[in-house]
Structure formats: structure tokens, C-alpha cells
């Protein structure tokens, strides 16, 4: 089952755009599952849900809790668990942690951030039968800024080499985060697995965004985000109206009362 879901994703390379969103809860899992190929339980939940300064603060137990819920309500999409900071320091630690999260959540795959330096870890996990999604470009777990990557030659070459290295180590797809268009195009044309872009242009084989960002529930709005609704405004109006109704004794009305 897991294998066939992954083969379907790989087969979409150069054919059909792969659709991905993050999800962290029951309702977001249900929504994403209805329309997306991949759901990522991203460690972005630290900043998005818990107001943390960075994803480095996210604990594996928190991720497990959210991933269990997502997996329970995502019946068809491939569910990927984002391994948090310091949970894959070497191949043995990575394997123990990946085994633990798969057992606890029944997720289909794990995602690791990094390039050449983690190729041996990716190799080890995939040899042990754990599907791995890679992530290069802007790496929130190790970067100290959120600037676009690949504008200078050395940085661009490093990201390109990192993508090649992890694709040869066995990842089934690679997230390319916040890299310039020409680099995303070069990587996508040269790796045999699908690239999934976030701020990485139309040349990727698929796209991913944080669900709260497309729904308009976040305070920050990077250029690469397209916001499809303004839930924050809708929620604010609802809270405001409720408080006004309570104060003016309009709520509860006869409709809301047991007689
Ligand atoms: O944690 C996350 O949501 C991610 C995506 C931004 C790709 O890694």
C-alpha cells in the first residue's frame, strides 16, 4: 500500500503536478486528504500553532500527537512526518526515531532536512525500508535567516550538489524551499525523483504550502504564498458578533434554549 502510493507520486514526475499541503489537525487533514497527493505534518506547526520562534523548539512527542490525528483522518493521501531538529543526528538515532514515529502514527514516510551531510542517513533509512522525503534550499532547522537561496554561484552549486546527492541516496521526492527559479529548474531537470517546491517556481514537479497560509490564518505572508481566503478576518468578525450578542442579550435566543 505504502509502496504503491509512493510509486504513484514518483510516476507523476514530468507528467502531472503533485499537490501537497501541510496539515496538523482533524479538519485540515480531512480537507487536504480530499484534494492532495501528499500531506506533510510539518514541524512548521511549532511556529504556526504554538507561536514558537523557530522549528528548532519542536519536540518529537508533539509531532507524534499531531501526526496520529492527521493519519487517522487522511485515508488516501500519502502522509509524511517531518523529523524534528536533532532527531536524526546520526543514522542510528535517525532509525530509532523514525521507527518510533512510524509505529506510533502509521505515517507513510519521514522528511529530513539537509544535503550531502545526511546522505548516509537517508541511505540507511531507505535500506531499512523507511521511505524518505528530502528537503534542500532554505532549511528552517539550521538556517539563521529566511532569505531566498541560490543567488550566488557557490550557494547555488552546493544546493544543486545536495539535491543530486540525496536523490542518489534514495529519497522518493525532494522539497525545494525558497530557491531561485533557475536553480529549481536545473535541479528538477537533473534529479530522477519529483521536486516539490515551496517558493521554488513552476519548474518543480509539485507544490507545497502551509495550510494556514493559504487560508489566511498567519501573520506573515511571504511572496511565495498565495492566500485563497481570509479566515483570520472571518474568525474575528464571528468572535466580535458573538461578544456583542452576549452583551446585548441577543444570545442565547429562544432557538438556543432547552424548554
Ligand atoms: O515544516 C514544514 O511545513 C515544511 C514545509 C514548509 C515544506 O517543511
Amino acid at each position: 500500500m505504502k509502496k504503491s502510493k509512493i510509486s504513484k507520486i514518483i510516476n507523476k514526475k514530468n507528467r502531472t503536478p503533485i499537490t501537497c499541503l501541510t496539515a496538523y489537525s482533524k479538519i485540515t487533514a480531512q480537507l487536504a486528504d480530499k484534494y492532495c497527493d501528499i500531506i506533510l505534518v510539518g514541524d512548521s506547526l511549532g511556529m504556526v500553532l504554538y507561536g514558537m520562534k523557530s522549528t528548532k523548539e519542536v519536540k518529537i512527542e508533539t509531532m507524534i500527537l499531531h501526526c496520529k490525528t492527521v493519519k487517522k483522518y487522511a485515508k488516501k493521501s500519502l502522509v509524511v512526518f517531518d523529523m524534528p531538529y536533532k532527531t536524526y543526528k546520526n543514522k542510528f538515532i535517525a532509525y530509532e526515531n523514525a521507527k518510533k514515529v512510524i509505529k506510533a502514527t502509521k505515517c507513510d514516510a519521514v522528511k529530513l532536512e539537509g544535503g550531502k551531510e545526511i546522505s548516509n542517513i537517508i541511505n540507511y533509512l531507505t535500506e531499512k525500508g523507511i521511505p524518505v522525503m528530502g528537503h534542500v534550499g532554505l532549511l528552517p532547522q539550521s538556517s539563521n535567516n529566511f532569505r531566498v537561496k541560490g543567488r550566488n554561484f557557490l550557494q547555488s552549486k552546493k544546493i544543486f550538489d545536495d539535491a543530486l546527492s540525496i536523490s542518489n541516496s534514495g529519497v522518493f521526492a525532494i522539497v525545494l524551499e525558497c530557491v531561485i527559479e533557475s536553480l529549481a529548474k536545473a535541479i528538477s531537470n537533473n534529479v530522477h525523483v519529483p521536486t516539490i517546491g515551496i517558493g521554488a517556481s513552476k519548474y518543480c514537479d509539485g507544490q507545497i504550502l502551509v495550510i494556514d497560509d493559504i487560508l489566511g490564518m498567519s501573520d506573515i505572508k511571504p511572496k511565495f504564498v498565495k492566500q485563497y481566503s481570509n479566515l483570520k478576518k472571518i474568525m474575528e468578525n464571528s468572535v466580535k458578533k458573538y461578544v456583542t450578542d452576549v452583551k446585548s442579550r441577543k444570545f442565547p435566543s429562544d432557538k438556543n434554549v432547552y424548554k
Side-chain angles (χ1 to χ4, degrees):
M1 181 62 174
K2 212 181 284 176
K3 275 252 161 62
S4 77
K5 275 190 192 176
I6 285 174
S7 315
K8 274 190 197 153
I9 302 284
I10 295 172
N11 285 337
K12 289 194 175 205
K13 185 166 176 82
N14 298 325
R15 290 200 181 99
T16 327
I18 300 164
T19 52
C20 325
L21 272 174
T22 67
Y24 321 110
S25 62
K26 173 181 166 181
I27 183 140
T28 54
Q30 286 172 325
L31 284 174
D33 190 52
K34 211 165 165 183
Y35 302 102
C36 293
D37 299 308
I38 300 178
I39 298 178
L40 172 69
V41 184
D43 64 355
S44 50
L45 65 76
M47 297 166 84
V48 173
L49 295 186
Y50 292 101
M52 292 170 180
K53 278 213 180 91
S54 88
T55 56
K56 285 184 188 160
E57 294 173 54
V58 176
K59 298 276 173 279
I60 198 163
E61 290 73 24
T62 313
M63 291 294 298
I64 288 176
L65 203 63
H66 286 274
C67 191
K68 263 183 173 173
T69 303
V70 169
K71 186 63 192 170
K72 185 169 163 191
Y73 291 98
K75 303 289 178 211
K76 127 186 128 35
S77 314
L78 185 92
V79 175
V80 181
F81 182 102
D82 207 3
M83 298 289 282
Y85 184 55
K86 285 195 173 161
T87 59
Y88 49 100
K89 277 194 281 191
N90 64 48
K91 62 183 187 180
F92 303 112
I93 294 177
Y95 182 53
E96 286 313 309
N97 281 324
K99 252 195 327 190
K100 175 169 129 179
V101 305
I102 289 171
K103 187 165 178 231
T105 68
K106 310 277 181 291
C107 66
D108 302 297
V110 296
K111 176 168 83 62
L112 309 186
E113 287 184 15
K116 258 186 195 152
E117 74 289 355
I118 62 159
S119 285
N120 68 319
I121 301 176
I122 294 168
N123 232 315
Y124 191 68
L125 294 185
T126 51
E127 271 172 12
K128 296 268 186 194
I130 298 178
V132 179
M133 175 182 250
H135 184 156
V136 299
L138 174 67
L139 304 177
Q141 289 177 10
S142 51
S143 181
N144 41 22
N145 65 62
F146 281 76
R147 275 186 228 123
V148 65
K149 305 292 175 205
R151 287 214 201 276
N152 72 66
F153 175 76
L154 281 182
Q155 191 179 63
S156 178
K157 181 169 180 337
K158 183 184 177 321
I159 296 170
F160 183 85
D161 292 345
D162 279 342
L164 275 191
S165 172
I166 64 168
S167 80
N168 291 329
S169 298
V171 294
F172 69 88
I174 303 175
V175 169
L176 288 186
E177 180 163 355
C178 227
V179 301
I180 58 165
E181 187 177 62
S182 54
L183 176 59
K185 189 176 180 185
I187 293 173
S188 302
N189 286 341
N190 283 280
V191 294
H192 61 278
V193 293
T195 54
I196 312 289
I198 172 160
S201 87
K202 64 182 177 192
Y203 292 106
C204 293
D205 301 294
Q207 299 294 328
I208 183 163
L209 284 175
V210 167
I211 194 155
D212 290 58
D213 290 344
I214 68 161
L215 296 177
M217 303 239 303
S218 331
D219 295 322
I220 50 154
K221 195 175 165 292
K223 177 180 171 147
F224 62 75
V225 168
K226 184 166 177 186
Q227 190 183 307
Y228 291 85
S229 36
N230 193 344
L231 284 200
K232 198 171 174 191
K233 192 85 209 136
I234 293 170
M235 286 157 81
E236 185 183 339
N237 284 339
S238 308
V239 170
K240 213 160 113 189
K241 280 186 190 151
Y242 162 73
V243 169
T244 307
D245 280 358
V246 170
K247 283 185 175 167
S248 63
R249 300 185 191 282
K250 238 174 143 182
F251 176 84
S253 72
D254 276 354
K255 273 195 274 179
N256 313 108
V257 171
Y258 301 104
K259 296 220 170 146

